[in-house]
Amino acid sequence: MLAPALTEVAVCNAIAYAPAPHNVLSPAFFGGHPSLIVTESSYQSNEEIYGEDEPAEYIYQVLRGAVRVYKLLSDGRRQIGAFHLAGDVFGIETRATYRVTAEAITDATVRLVKRSAVEKVAQNDAKIACALWAASSGELRHAEDHMMLLGRKTAAERVATFLLEMDGRLAMSSARSLPMCRRDIGDYLGLTLETVSRAISALQAKGVVELSGARCIAVRKRDRLAAIAEVECTL
Amino acid sequence: MLAPALTEVAVCNAIAYAPAPHNVLSPAFFGGHPSLIVTESSYQSNEEIYGEDEPAEYIYQVLRGAVRVYKLLSDGRRQIGAFHLAGDVFGIETRATYRVTAEAITDATVRLVKRSAVEKVAQNDAKIACALWAASSGELRHAEDHMMLLGRKTAAERVATFLLEMDGRLAMSSARSLPMCRRDIGDYLGLTLETVSRAISALQAKGVVELSGARCIAVRKRDRLAAIAEVECTL
DNA sequence: CGAGGATTTGATACCTGTCAATGAAGGTGG
DNA sequence: CCACCTTCATTGACAGGTATCAAATCCTCG
C-alpha cells in the first residue's frame, strides 16, 4: 500500500477536535503531547487504509465515516474483527506489522500520527504508555466479548447483540443509519448475509425493531432485544 | 472468590525462575523492579483463580500446570478465550474488574503481584508500562486470530489449527501431553466435544497425527496439518 | 429513467449439534 | 492386586440450524 495522501497538516496542540468519548479507547496521545505531528487523510468508500502484515507506520483516529478491520483466509473467507466509528482509535501495534487490514466502509476522514514518534514518546512518558496500554486493553475486552459471540451464540443472538452495540455507538456519533452492508455485518458476526437479513426480518416481524430502509434500524423494544442478545451472565 | 492461599513470599529480586520465553507475553515486569512483591500460590485442578467481574487484584504468571480463561452465558454456554501454559502472564487489566474467569486446568502453581503495585510503578516507569502494553497487545493478536477461527473456519480447520498451536507451545514448555479435556478444547474452538473427537479421529485415520492415549497427540505430517488448518493468507 | 448493487425471500443441502451407548483410563478401597 | 466406580473419550443415528443456490424486489445514483 502507498502512503496515504495527506490533505492537511497541523501540530497536535492546534487541533481542537473533540470527538465524542468512546467506549473502548481514550486517545490521550491524540492532542496530548507537543512533539507529536498529527495529520489528516481522507479515503473513499472501500479504499484500503493499511493492509495486514504491512509495516505499522501510523496510528489512526476516525474523524468522519466508518472503518472495518479484518483478516482473510486464502480462499476469500473474511472475518471482520471490529468496526471503528468517529472518535475511535485504531492501528495501535507493538510489533512491526499490522495484525489486520483496515478499509474505509464509507467515505472517511482520519487523523494519523507516526507510530515511531508515538513509540519514542511512550518510552519516556509513562502517561502516554499507559494510554496506549489502555487502548489495547479496551480492544481486547471487545475481542473477548466477540469471541463469546462467534463461538457460542446463535444467529438470532448475534444479530440482536450487534444491533444493541450499534444502537449505542451510532447514537454517540449522532449517525442515524448503519454505515455497513449486510455482507459486512455477516462477516463481523460469522454468518452469511442471508442469515443476517432473515434474523433482522424476524426481529421486525416481532416488533422489536423497525426498519425505514435497510440501513436505518430503530430499536422499539430494547429490553426484548437485550433478552434475545443473551447478555453475558455476570453471576 | 477468596484471596488465594499464599504458600511462599519473596521479594522480586530474589526470584531466580526463568520460564521458557513465550509467544505472546514478555514478562519483563516480573523480576524487573525492586518495589514489586512477588508471591506464589498453588491451585488444584478445576479450582477457580479469579472470577469474571471480580475486582482485578493481582497479575499472574503460570509457573507449572495450565490455566483456562473463559466467559459464560446465563444458560451455561462457555467460551474459552485462551489457555495459559508455563511462562504465560495472565490477568492483566486496565479497568477495575477481570474480563474473564480463570481456572486451573491441572494442578498449577502461579506467581502473582499486586495489580495496584504494578500500576503505581507503571505510572512512573515507561519501560514497565510499555511491557504491560506489549502483553495486552500480544493477547489481542491471539484474540484476532481466534476470532478468524471461530467465525470462519470449519471444524476440521479449527482442530488442525489447535493441534498446531499446542504442538508449538507444549514443545516449548517441554510437556508431552495435552493438559485439557475434549470439552475444554471444544469450548475453546466453538465446537462440541464430540465434533472435536471426530475431527481428531479423522486426522488419525489419514495418518496426519498419531495418538498414544487421548491426551498425547504426535504430529506426523506437519505440512498436511498446516494445509488443513488454512493458515491465514498473507497476500 | 435506467442500471447495477443491495436486500429480501424461498427451496434445499450439509455440517455440526444433540442424544445415546459403548469402551478406555485412572483413582480408590477392599 | 484386583474389582469397582467415575470420568473421559469414541462412535453411531438422527435432527436442526445455517449455508448455499436462486430469483424477485428494492434502492441508490448517475
Side-chain angles (χ1 to χ4, degrees), chain A residues 56-234:
Chain A
E57 267 204 85
Y58 297 94
I59 294 175
Y60 298 81
Q61 183 178 37
V62 181
L63 294 181
R64 189 180 56 82
V67 171
R68 60 180 167 248
V69 298
Y70 64 85
K71 295 174 82 79
L72 283 180
L73 293 178
S74 51
D75 60 0
R77 280 175 287 174
R78 184 177 68 158
Q79 179 61 47
I80 294 179
F83 294 116
H84 294 298
L85 307 179
D88 290 350
V89 175
F90 66 98
I92 297 178
E93 300 286 343
T94 55
R95 297 204 187 173
T97 59
Y98 290 114
R99 290 183 312 266
V100 292
T101 300
E103 275 177 5
I105 296 177
T106 60
D107 292 350
T109 304
V110 300
R111 276 200 289 201
L112 49 155
V113 296
K114 271 236 177 230
R115 180 259 182 98
S116 58
V118 172
E119 206 125 286
K120 196 164 296 176
V121 171
Q123 272 160 13
N124 296 306
D125 183 336
K127 281 278 181 299
I128 298 290
C130 284
L132 288 159
W133 173 29
S136 288
S137 185
E139 284 194 78
L140 182 55
R141 183 173 290 261
H142 176 267
E144 209 94 46
D145 290 341
H146 207 58
M147 286 192 283
M148 172 88 257
L149 178 148
L150 292 170
R152 288 306 182 202
K153 286 189 178 180
T154 67
E157 290 165 356
R158 295 182 200 201
V159 170
T161 305
F162 170 76
L163 291 176
L164 279 176
E165 179 187 354
M166 282 303 145
D167 185 56
R169 297 181 63 198
L170 288 174
M172 215 175 291
S173 74
S174 72
R176 242 176 46 270
S177 70
L178 297 172
M180 71 290 285
C181 67
R182 294 290 186 268
R183 176 175 298 277
D184 285 339
I185 300 174
D187 285 349
Y188 179 59
L189 300 179
L191 301 169
T192 59
L193 61 93
E194 292 95 332
T195 300
V196 171
S197 180
R198 275 184 250 270
I200 293 175
S201 295
L203 288 172
Q204 190 181 19
K206 284 192 264 192
V208 176
V209 300
E210 188 177 338
L211 276 72
S212 39
R215 302 289 184 97
C216 186
I217 304 181
V219 177
R220 283 272 161 267
K221 301 173 183 172
R222 188 176 312 275
D223 49 345
R224 289 282 313 275
L225 196 57
I228 295 169
E230 268 280 355
V231 182
E232 282 76 10
C233 176
T234 54

Side-chain angles (χ1 to χ4, degrees), chain B residues 152-217:
Chain B
R152 289 305 182 202
K153 286 189 178 180
T154 66
E157 290 164 356
R158 295 181 201 203
V159 170
T161 305
F162 169 77
L163 291 175
L164 279 176
E165 179 188 355
M166 283 302 145
D167 187 55
R169 297 181 63 198
L170 288 175
M172 214 176 288
S173 74
S174 70
R176 241 179 47 268
S177 70
L178 297 172
M180 70 291 286
C181 66
R182 294 290 187 267
R183 177 175 298 278
D184 285 338
I185 299 174
D187 286 349
Y188 179 59
L189 300 179
L191 301 169
T192 60
L193 62 93
E194 292 95 332
T195 300
V196 171
S197 181
R198 275 184 250 269
I200 292 175
S201 295
L203 289 172
Q204 191 180 19
K206 284 191 264 190
V208 176
V209 301
E210 187 177 339
L211 276 72
S212 40
R215 302 287 185 95
C216 187
I217 305 180

Side-chain angles (χ1 to χ4, degrees), chain B residues 101-118:
Chain B
T101 300
E103 275 176 5
I105 296 178
T106 60
D107 292 349
T109 304
V110 300
R111 274 201 289 202
L112 49 155
V113 295
K114 272 236 177 233
R115 180 260 182 96
S116 58
V118 172

